[in-house]
Amino acid sequence: MLLDLIRPTSGRALVLGRDSHRDTLAIQALSGYLPGELSLYPTLTGSETLRYLANLRGGVEWEHVRALSERLDCDLTKKVSDLSSGNKRKLGLISAFMARPELLILDEPTSGLDPLVQHEFYALIDEVRDAGQTVFLSSHVLPEVQRVCDRVAFIREGELIALEDVSGLTGRAVREIEVVFAEAIPPAAFAGVPGVTQVSVDGKNATTLRLTVTGPVDAAIKKLGEFRVLDLTSRLPDLEDVFMTFYTDGGDHAA
Amino acid sequence: MLRNVFCKSLRDQTRPLVMWVLGVAFYVALLLSIYPSIRHSAGQLQGYISSLPAAVRAAFLGPGGDFSSPVGYVNTELLSWLAPVVFIAFAVSIAARSVAGEEEDGTLSLLLAHTVGRRRLVLHKYAAMIVIVTILGLAFWLALLVATAIAGTPVGAGTLAEALLRLTLLGLAVGSVTFAVSGACGRRQAGIAAGAGVGVAMYLLNTLAQMNADIRPFRFLSLFHYSGGAAPLGQDLDAVGLAVLLGVSAALLLVTLVLFERRDIRV
């Protein structure tokens, strides 16, 4: 919608101070876009693809394209149809970055990228941020969001339901902890611990405890210290869970 | 060839264009190579044709049904129905691939995000279609020119050019139907169905109008009526016919521009 590919049912959007519908071309000239589902021309090579897109856009320094492709370790001589999805993604990233746009709109930029390239990509994001460029990044991977973003917006069914600093967000993260004890454990022991929102016990002889903890896990961990712990697994909180807390918290506030 | 959308579209259509041109050249050569033997028995053939019911003659041979002269032969065997079908089918397939093709392949949003602009995209795609269909027209013209000369039955270059100009414009007009429909809804199939449907309906209308006096007044609704009907070769170019074909194409291009400008792009 910001690039005027789809139209709002009502209202309007301002991008970099310009109306998204009336000044579409100006906005597009100032932004780089990586679609979530990237489609390229299978018969072109990587460098042909980028040349075409650069020609359409104009004002792209080919040296910059070459530098980007080297940093992301992208082979430009192969045909797109012979590339893996990660390598296609790299072409998409280069096309988004190549014009040094003021605004980058990246949809799931790291899906399919290997860890080394991911790392390089994060470095690239840091650089453009330091250069004053804005990055809109959509992602389902919380560590990625934590790593690169300053602020996070939650969108549910087309509605913006929350806009938060990342630091505030992780404080509210929900995490599931599974603990196996040496002996049976009374679930009531964890009922009043700060942050613990759900407790359940199962496994043989009731030795396995499942805790759902919101926010800091400090109190729950200290409480665990009172028992003999054999094993402990903590599942990484994902955005879905954080999203759920936002949702329920919102309800609470409203009430 | 990667300078802009127009050049890229030409490049994309090179392979189908070459295939069609080869097909046309082959068929024309085949047809003209057997003409001498047909002309030999033209008298008999003509007698047989005259004995057919008028309706059958009109439906399958056009009003000509004439094998005795090169012009009649080319009209009957090639230009009355096969050539229009070739031009329409080619233009429709190119038109469907233009905007809707890029959209269904998912590359349209990429182009538009690289500052192409919707109006420019439509105009470039349309211009590419014009050039490609015109090249087929030129190839067809050249093939006929060479083949009739070799077969020893030359038809004037100008006469041939007039017929193929008509057919090219007919193809572009029906192709524009496909261009507009597929551009407006983003689906190749819808555009092909619309173009093919319009093409068949108009062909039937024009043919039936020759046989049935009740339908005759509605002949003006068929684009075939303006492209020379069943005998494009040897008729004088009439300004009204050309204007109608060009006008229909231009109007459909305008419709595409308006509808494409208004809708959501599938991302």
Side-chain angles (χ1 to χ4, degrees), chain B residues 102 110 164:
Chain B
E102 297 257 13
L110 201 64
L164 285 158

PDB file of all heavy atoms in Angstrom, chain B residues 102 110 164:
ATOM      1  N   GLU B 102       2.978 -11.098 -16.569  1.00  0.00           N
ATOM      2  CA  GLU B 102       3.919 -10.644 -15.542  1.00  0.00           C
ATOM      3  C   GLU B 102       3.284 -10.756 -14.159  1.00  0.00           C
ATOM      4  O   GLU B 102       3.938 -11.081 -13.179  1.00  0.00           O
ATOM      5  CB  GLU B 102       4.315  -9.179 -15.782  1.00  0.00           C
ATOM      6  CG  GLU B 102       5.052  -8.939 -17.079  1.00  0.00           C
ATOM      7  CD  GLU B 102       6.561  -8.754 -16.885  1.00  0.00           C
ATOM      8  OE1 GLU B 102       7.064  -9.045 -15.791  1.00  0.00           O
ATOM      9  OE2 GLU B 102       7.217  -8.341 -17.856  1.00  0.00           O
ATOM     10  N   LEU B 110       7.411  -6.307  -8.823  1.00  0.00           N
ATOM     11  CA  LEU B 110       8.823  -5.936  -8.843  1.00  0.00           C
ATOM     12  C   LEU B 110       9.055  -4.772  -9.818  1.00  0.00           C
ATOM     13  O   LEU B 110       9.721  -3.791  -9.500  1.00  0.00           O
ATOM     14  CB  LEU B 110       9.645  -7.147  -9.276  1.00  0.00           C
ATOM     15  CG  LEU B 110      11.114  -7.153  -8.911  1.00  0.00           C
ATOM     16  CD1 LEU B 110      11.289  -7.185  -7.410  1.00  0.00           C
ATOM     17  CD2 LEU B 110      11.807  -8.332  -9.554  1.00  0.00           C
ATOM     18  N   LEU B 164      -2.538  -7.635 -45.896  1.00  0.00           N
ATOM     19  CA  LEU B 164      -1.911  -7.983 -44.623  1.00  0.00           C
ATOM     20  C   LEU B 164      -1.991  -6.853 -43.615  1.00  0.00           C
ATOM     21  O   LEU B 164      -2.023  -7.103 -42.408  1.00  0.00           O
ATOM     22  CB  LEU B 164      -0.482  -8.434 -44.860  1.00  0.00           C
ATOM     23  CG  LEU B 164      -0.546  -9.847 -45.452  1.00  0.00           C
ATOM     24  CD1 LEU B 164       0.690 -10.203 -46.203  1.00  0.00           C
ATOM     25  CD2 LEU B 164      -0.846 -10.862 -44.365  1.00  0.00           C
TER      26      LEU B 164
END
